[in-house]
Amino acid sequence: MSDLHFSPRLFRIPRPRFWGNSGIVRRLMLVCLPFPLLILISLFLVTHRGVEENLASAIAQNSYILSQSMGIALSQTLQETRNQIAVLATGSTSFEELRHRIWRRLETLNAMGDARFCEAAFMGQGQLSSKRFLWIRDRGKLRAIPPDQTEIQSSSPFLPPRRQPGEHEVVLSTPTEVSYSFSDSTDKTPQSQVTLQLMRFTAPVTLSDGTFVGYLILSVDIAWLRDSVSGCAISMRRGEKAPLAFFVDNAGWMIFETGPQTSEKEGSKPAVIDSVRSGFQGDFGRAGYSQAFRPGAEYYSYWTMMNHIQKGDAGQFQTSSALQWNREGIPVETVSYAPVTYASGAEGRRDVVGGMVVLDTSFAIAAQRSILHTRYIVACVIAALLLSLSLFCIGLALRKTLKNLGRDIAESTSSALAKPLSQRSAPKEVQEVRSEINRLLDQLRNLEDERDMENTLASARIEVEEVHNMPTEIPVPPDGIIGVSLEMRNLRQNIIQAAKVQADVLVMGETGTGKELVSRAIHLHSANSAGPFMTINCGALDEGLLMDSLFGHVKGAFSEAREARKGAFLTAEGGTLMLDEIGNASPKVQQALLRALSDRRITPLGSDTSVPFNTRVIAATNADLREEIQKGTFREDLYFRLAVITIHTVPLREHKMDIPYLVMFFLRQAREQDHSGRPVPSLSKGALSQLMHYHWPGNVRELSNTIFRTAAFCDGDLILPHHLHLGADSSQADKKAHLRNGNGKKGSQPDVSGREQKEADRQDNTPMPPAVPQEPTSVSGPAPAVPPRGHEDRSEGSSTTSSQTSFRENAASTPAQNAKRDLSAFPRLQKLLPELDRLGEFSRKDYQELAQVSVRTAQYDLQLYVEEGFLERKGRGPSQRYLVKEGQASGSDAE
């Protein structure tokens, strides 16, 4: 006995080396087999006694869920149909368009096999009171019924609805039965009759301008509604009959039933309730619907159920001797019900229009109890045997498949992958596959490198080829607008239409899109073209000078008023006055402009007498006046006074097909201005590709500056990509956005609204854009042109605020954080920061003179530095000043 002992090694877990070297078959058997066997045995021991108790509640719950799903399905079907009718009833411009839209919709549904709509009618009101039509669906075809044949029927769709639908409301009627007679040339019988069981949806019809013109009635076939919810009535267990269900309206009338009789072959039969009304006594046939049935008041269980449905409650009850469902009818074990709701408005409250009732007639509990125990034990034994066999077969199949996969991958290499597979702990078969895949990846990577080198050389050759079909003849039209695109043609058409009337015009658009050119074009095309054209920049003058420039003054109005001054409104008498950068005007100037535009009279400074004027006013701005109104910096009444006619100028990025014409025009201008006698240089494909894919935040002004700069520094006869310096005049915003988006992110460039403009990725082997046509075929007359400064917006107001919103989220929040920031990304600010700090407070003009940059660049730089936390802004308008935040100058010196 002393030699016998238990070794602790018997209870140790297998070593990882044994587990790591195990094959797939062994792993599957060790892991997957014990746990299912234990689970099956435990389930049998634990749930043996409770299965019978849960079986009854499970079957009853299944019927309850089925009633809920059928009720929800029917509610969603009604609501979806309501939304379709609401869409068809709005948005049409005329009666013919409405008629065409409804006919096309019904034809499309017929082609798709959707037979929900069986009747469509329109009853005109107001200006379309004489317009009516009626269509019905008969055997898959739409037939037109003369409206006058149905006026005498009690169920005519042209009778006024019981409740007229309000705006954006679709009223649902009770189930209705209607018969139509018509002649069919394809039938042998001279007269045909069709009876429809339907529910009507009535919606008010409004045209696109908001005018109410009548009512649209679309009727849904009740048989289609029955078939649409019949799919939910699936059997609860295999071999069991589908439960019997029926729809009852909110007044207790049985409308239709679903069950075995509503199969696909018999889906077109009329809706009946023969099975569910068996054993009941009551009223058969309701006014307007002969197939309806309502049990008598003695059926307590039925009317108790209806009381719950009318309140919107779902429920279930089991029948017994004390609570019977019917007398001498079909035997019913459980009755489940759920309400059917409908919302007539788009977001209104949902009203109960009926309910779905499911009758369980299977008595499955008693049938299943006798064989439950035997099947459970046999299933456990068979499952254990099959599981063992299946795991063994699966393991063998997986091992063989992985070995074959490794051999196939080793024999063929067809594509390159990003990087080799990492080595991980895996079965030995998987390790073999990984080794073969890594070897394949090495081969494909070498092939990819060779192909990239060839593509790079080919792309470099294409970059320097000349574009041979650039436009040569570009006549300049009188209005000075160049463009053959649809956007420019629409803009020119808007200018001509605006010039025909004498109303005030508001021109809105980004900087550099030619708002002054549009204003001058309106003046040239108007009846006041013989009069003067004046421009006043509301952002370049302070409040006093601007008021004096606009309204003038009388002699002696102030100390320096030695002579009287007319002002812009009277100087431009009989012509046009352009108010540039109207968004920068002070509240006092806005109030004076509103009074002048309302009365068409002005009062010069120092005068007590108002003077009438006959001058057309055109206001221009690059700011969003709607946002300024919400901020409280611009008067809403002045906006509506100015925006009698609103014209939006088009950014260059939205009509890039005009870039070749503008480039050639600017190149010719550049050569004419330098007086060198050199020929106009040609454009390479690479340079044209850069111009077409650049986002142009400065629009046509930036394009003009780029071409003039390129023409000045290009000594040859061909402009190559490296001659172009796109964005050289802008601030560091593009670089910062590029850094935020990631250096490896291609084709993502910030546009002037702060969003990322997703351009197509230009790889080295990307082909050039399509050729430019010599003469546009879509524009009649001579091709338009652009004057040297036509599209330039010479305003000195603030740059578009939306172009800087993308930088606000990453701006520094405290001076301590700003002092530690690196200024290397802002070389211009790093150079000027000590001088700006010595100035203390400085204006935009001071910064412009120190940095030797343009007005637009100075505005853009200052806005960026404020957003990044380097500068602080004080005041607004012409009196706006900037100062260096504390700690920035010292941080720059330390650097």
Side-chain angles (χ1 to χ4, degrees), residues 495-665:
I495 291 173
I496 295 175
Q497 294 296 332
K500 293 180 179 179
V501 297
Q502 291 298 319
D504 296 334
V505 181
L506 177 61
V507 182
M508 304 181 65
E510 300 174 4
T511 178
T513 54
K515 296 185 287 297
E516 182 175 350
L517 179 62
V518 171
S519 302
R520 191 177 297 274
I522 295 174
H523 171 72
L524 293 177
H525 287 285
S526 66
N528 297 340
S529 58
F533 178 83
M534 291 190 61
T535 300
I536 297 295
N537 194 326
C538 299
L541 302 175
D542 59 16
E543 184 179 282
L545 292 177
L546 182 58
M547 292 284 289
D548 186 51
S549 300
L550 290 174
F551 306 107
H553 60 265
V554 297
K555 183 178 179 180
F558 48 88
S559 59
E560 298 179 359
R562 298 182 177 87
E563 294 182 358
R565 182 179 182 180
K566 286 185 176 182
F569 277 97
L570 297 182
T571 305
E573 181 75 15
T576 303
L577 173 60
M578 177 186 176
L579 301 179
D580 202 0
E581 294 302 327
I582 189 64
N584 293 335
S586 63
K588 182 177 179 181
V589 176
Q590 295 179 28
Q591 183 179 4
L593 286 175
L594 175 63
R595 181 64 177 271
L597 295 177
S598 300
D599 301 340
R600 311 308 289 186
R601 302 175 70 91
I602 64 171
T603 303
L605 182 62
S607 176
D608 297 331
T609 305
S610 60
V611 181
F613 65 89
N614 181 22
T615 303
R616 183 178 192 172
V617 176
I618 300 178
T621 180
N622 61 357
D624 190 349
L625 296 184
R626 289 288 188 179
E627 293 184 0
E628 299 297 329
I629 292 173
Q630 294 179 359
K631 295 177 182 178
T633 58
F634 196 83
R635 297 177 63 99
E636 185 177 12
D637 47 5
L638 178 58
Y639 169 77
F640 287 111
R641 175 65 63 180
L642 292 172
V644 179
I645 299 176
T646 304
I647 296 179
H648 294 270
T649 57
V650 187
L652 183 57
R653 61 181 175 275
E654 296 182 6
H655 61 103
K656 287 188 175 181
M657 67 174 296
D658 297 327
I659 289 180
Y661 297 90
L662 296 171
V663 168
M664 295 307 297
F665 178 80

Side-chain angles (χ1 to χ4, degrees), residues 99 132-136 143-153 156-158 180-183 191:
R99 180 187 180 96
R132 293 187 300 173
F133 63 80
L134 174 61
W135 299 323
I136 65 170
R143 300 183 183 274
I145 303 298
D148 53 356
Q149 294 184 4
T150 65
E151 292 179 347
I152 60 175
Q153 297 184 9
S156 173
F158 298 109
Y180 292 105
S181 300
F182 55 89
S183 299
Q191 193 78 7

Side-chain angles (χ1 to χ4, degrees), residues 729 828 832 846-854:
D729 187 47
R828 189 179 297 142
L832 299 177
D846 298 333
Y847 177 86
Q848 178 183 350
E849 294 175 355
L850 288 175
Q852 296 297 317
V853 295
S854 63

Side-chain angles (χ1 to χ4, degrees), residues 862-881:
L862 292 173
Q863 181 67 21
L864 175 62
Y865 300 153
V866 170
E867 296 293 342
E868 290 299 321
F870 295 108
L871 301 181
E872 183 178 359
R873 183 191 293 113
K874 297 179 60 179
R876 66 180 302 274
S879 62
Q880 191 174 77
R881 294 294 184 268

Side-chain angles (χ1 to χ4, degrees), residues 197 224 529 556 599 722:
Q197 296 174 335
W224 181 87
S529 58
D599 301 340
H722 67 271

